[in-house]
Amino acid sequence: PPVGATRVATANLGIGAGTRSGSREMQGSTQVGCRSRGLRRSYREIPNLRDIRKSTAMASPMSQYLSEFVATAMLILLGNGVVAGALLNQSKAQGAGWGVITAAWGLAVLIGIYIAGPTSGAIMNPALTIALAAIGKLSWAVVPGFVLAQVAGAFLGATLVWLTYLAHWRVSDDPELKRAIFCTSPAI
């Protein structure tokens, strides 16, 4: 490009044949898009961690902790709830299968993001909280509160799943299936 011109890289957002990425000169804004579908958005329009950090900086730490608590509780309630429904005897969803379970977990994550995204960034995972702090994307000052809120929210969600399906626990004899609702075990 000529001196003073802004080179703007594009990224491929489409999947499949006929989609290519390239570069294009635009008025100083980076473009992302898929040529075959004509979809183009400026990088400035796409939220990123920096934008989330700016928006969450205005929220009080207590509202961030509360949103992480509620989002994590909903994540576990909905995600583990569908697993319990699919695995426990005499439930209406018994035998629903992996398709239903994975779709419900995806929706549970989405609901958690809608709940906590605007306030805390919707981390919903203590390991990710610590990792973000370790790389400097999250202040260490809020890490203990985030981790406590996430663990307490997960505990509440799991307790609600257990209480919701209490009658089904009694009629389900397989301990592996009961354990699979809350954790994974080796397949071998």
Side-chain angles (χ1 to χ4, degrees):
V3 176
T6 305
R7 180 174 180 268
V8 179
T10 60
N12 184 358
L13 292 179
I15 299 174
T19 58
R20 300 184 327 211
S21 62
S23 63
R24 168 182 252 178
E25 298 289 327
M26 301 286 297
Q27 296 127 3
S29 72
T30 303
Q31 298 291 314
V32 182
C34 171
R35 289 184 187 180
S36 65
R37 295 190 190 134
L39 302 174
R40 291 221 170 293
R41 288 181 66 187
S42 167
Y43 274 128
R44 293 182 185 130
E45 297 173 30
I46 299 172
N48 60 29
L49 192 56
R50 189 174 308 132
D51 296 335
I52 291 169
R53 284 177 36 191
K54 287 178 187 173
S55 69
T56 60
M58 295 168 40
S60 72
M62 193 53 98
S63 64
Q64 291 179 351
Y65 302 152
L66 181 62
S67 68
E68 283 293 319
F69 173 80
V70 172
T72 307
M74 287 300 294
L75 172 73
I76 299 301
L77 174 64
L78 298 174
N80 287 1
V82 75
V83 176
L87 297 182
L88 292 175
N89 290 337
Q90 298 179 3
S91 71
K92 292 185 180 186
Q94 184 179 9
W98 287 103
V100 171
I101 291 171
T102 55
W105 267 104
L107 291 172
V109 171
L110 182 66
I111 289 170
I113 291 170
Y114 279 130
I115 291 170
T119 9
S120 66
I123 300 171
M124 299 183 290
N125 184 334
L128 183 57
T129 300
I130 293 167
L132 287 172
I135 63 171
K137 301 290 184 182
L138 188 68
S139 169
W140 280 104
V142 297
V143 168
F146 269 57
V147 169
L148 182 65
Q150 292 159 352
V151 170
F155 184 79
L156 175 66
T159 302
L160 291 174
V161 169
W162 182 75
L163 289 173
T164 301
Y165 287 94
L166 191 57
H168 301 280
W169 293 104
R170 294 185 182 118
V171 296
S172 299
D173 296 328
D174 188 356
E176 289 289 324
L177 288 181
K178 290 179 180 180
R179 197 169 30 255
I181 294 166
F182 298 108
C183 66
T184 58
S185 56
I188 303 174

